[in-house]
Amino acid sequence: MLFRQLEYLVSLSRERHFARAAQACYVSQPALSEAIRKLEEELDVPLVRRGRKYEGLTPEGERIVVWAQRILADRDALKDEVGALRTGLSGTLRIGVIPTATGAVSLLTSPFCVAHPLVGVEVMADLQHEDILRQVQNFEFDAGITYLHKDLPEGFRTTPLYQERYVLLTTAADGMGHRTTATWAEASLLPLCLLTGTMQGRRVLDELFAEAGVRPSPRVETDSVATLFAHVRTGQWASVVPHAWLHVFGVPPGMRAVPLVEPARTVQVGLVTTAREPGSVMARALTGIARRADITAALDRLSEAWASD
């Protein structure tokens, strides 16, 4: 059994198409098909359901893919560990981030890059909570930044980063723009632009609106926090955004960010990595940075700055 055969099988599982899998592995389709066929012979089980076109993996194939992902992840972790011992940490750190946390991710990656100058960073943003957990579990990401719910599945290690708070984003001309606070009930009466209902960040907002005894009826929905800011800028809509996004945009001219109360609740955002040992050396290094970086203090200083404007 060769690592290359396992890579081909994992690629086929991900791409669900022989030609695309071969292209992703930089080999010809016949070479990929033959390598997987030889793997089937060696394991003495059918891995692929073959017809006139790709029809998916067999149950045995689905199980073998899980083992293949683990083996390849351990191989990569071993190479990174040896490289770190010889010349310091190098390679690529892969992070998946939910949309509401993308405004704060630089507060973590910046000190990481300073501490590990030979490492490149890939941040995949605008992902749903479930997708991040799946890709961390499948070793496609070294770590994820998402909500740390009590019902987080087993098999993950978590590191808290900050408590997400929410502000009503509106124009300065709006009556709410001159308030020091606004209630969730008051916000629900405004023409709102919010995240789409399929996103975890929106589900959190809906829970808070429900706690206030109201239900929002947004006229515009989007999967992008930046789009929320753009719509509020027109003066036609208001929005509810995480305070961490003020780290990116601040409070644009002509707009106001009003803290939301009743309830004045927060939601924990943090780093998730696989609990499997020894794990990724990249994940361990990032976790060390996360424990030392005071992201909460950085965001609080920002909040005090815009509150005093």
Side-chain angles (χ1 to χ4, degrees):
M1 186 187 303
L2 302 174
F3 285 127
R4 182 174 64 252
Q5 293 170 296
L6 300 179
E7 289 171 347
Y8 292 170
L9 181 63
V10 170
S11 180
L12 181 60
S13 173
R14 181 177 61 249
E15 301 294 338
R16 305 187 64 81
H17 190 277
F18 275 100
R20 290 197 299 269
Q23 184 177 19
C25 293
Y26 302 101
V27 297
S28 67
Q29 182 175 332
L32 181 137
S33 298
E34 178 64 14
I36 292 178
R37 186 188 65 77
K38 289 183 177 179
L39 183 60
E40 290 178 314
E41 291 180 356
E42 185 172 352
L43 296 175
D44 195 26
V45 291
L47 302 176
V48 181
R49 291 189 284 114
R50 293 180 173 86
R52 297 185 62 182
K53 60 181 181 178
Y54 175 77
E55 296 180 356
L57 299 180
T58 63
E60 297 89 344
E62 295 286 358
R63 186 59 186 163
I64 297 302
V65 163
V66 175
W67 279 102
Q69 290 170 326
R70 292 178 180 177
I71 292 169
L72 294 173
D74 284 344
R75 176 203 62 181
D76 294 341
L78 174 60
K79 292 169 64 177
D80 290 340
E81 191 88 45
V82 172
L85 291 172
R86 292 177 57 191
T87 61
L89 197 60
S90 62
T92 303
L93 169 69
R94 302 158 300 171
I95 310 175
V97 187
I98 55 174
T100 54
T102 51
V105 67
S106 64
L107 297 173
L108 184 59
T109 56
S110 180
F112 178 88
C113 289
V114 170
H116 305 286
L118 299 180
V119 178
V121 178
E122 290 182 359
V123 177
M124 303 302 293
D126 295 343
L127 297 175
Q128 294 193 23
H129 172 79
E130 295 79 7
D131 292 333
I132 290 174
L133 296 184
R134 175 179 54 80
Q135 293 187 71
V136 168
Q137 193 170 46
N138 292 344
F139 310 103
E140 297 171 40
F141 291 149
D142 296 294
I145 298 178
T146 186
Y147 295 108
L148 301 187
H149 296 299
K150 293 180 180 179
D151 57 352
L152 195 72
E154 294 183 1
F156 294 98
R157 184 173 288 113
T158 63
T159 305
L161 295 177
Y162 65 93
Q163 291 285 341
E164 183 173 271
R165 300 197 302 271
Y166 305 94
V167 297
L168 175 67
L169 192 66
T170 185
T171 60
D174 188 283
M176 290 288 183
H178 300 285
R179 302 269 296 274
T180 56
T181 61
T183 69
W184 290 85
E186 290 170 331
S188 71
L189 301 177
L190 300 174
L192 289 173
C193 174
L194 298 177
L195 296 174
T196 60
T198 60
M199 302 180 71
Q200 185 69 29
R202 170 62 184 278
R203 294 197 287 270
V204 170
L205 295 185
D206 285 345
E207 290 174 4
L208 292 170
F209 276 116
E211 190 172 332
V214 295
R215 182 176 181 179
S217 299
R219 294 188 60 191
V220 179
E221 295 181 305
T222 176
D223 63 355
S224 165
V225 177
T227 302
L228 299 179
F229 274 79
H231 277 78
V232 175
R233 182 182 288 277
T234 68
Q236 297 183 52
W237 292 279
S239 187
V240 177
V241 300
H243 78 301
W245 265 87
L246 300 178
H247 169 67
V248 180
F249 294 123
V251 180
M255 296 167 62
R256 293 288 185 272
V258 183
L260 282 162
V261 297
E262 299 181 25
R265 208 154 56 81
T266 62
V267 180
Q268 181 72 66
V269 173
L271 191 70
V272 293
T273 60
T274 178
R276 187 168 177 265
E277 294 294 349
S280 160
V281 64
M282 294 290 183
R284 295 203 305 272
L286 184 64
T287 299
I289 295 293
R291 289 172 177 166
R292 295 192 297 271
D294 196 344
I295 295 179
T296 295
L299 294 176
D300 285 347
R301 287 193 297 270
L302 181 67
S303 298
E304 292 169 2
W306 59 253
S308 62
D309 289 343

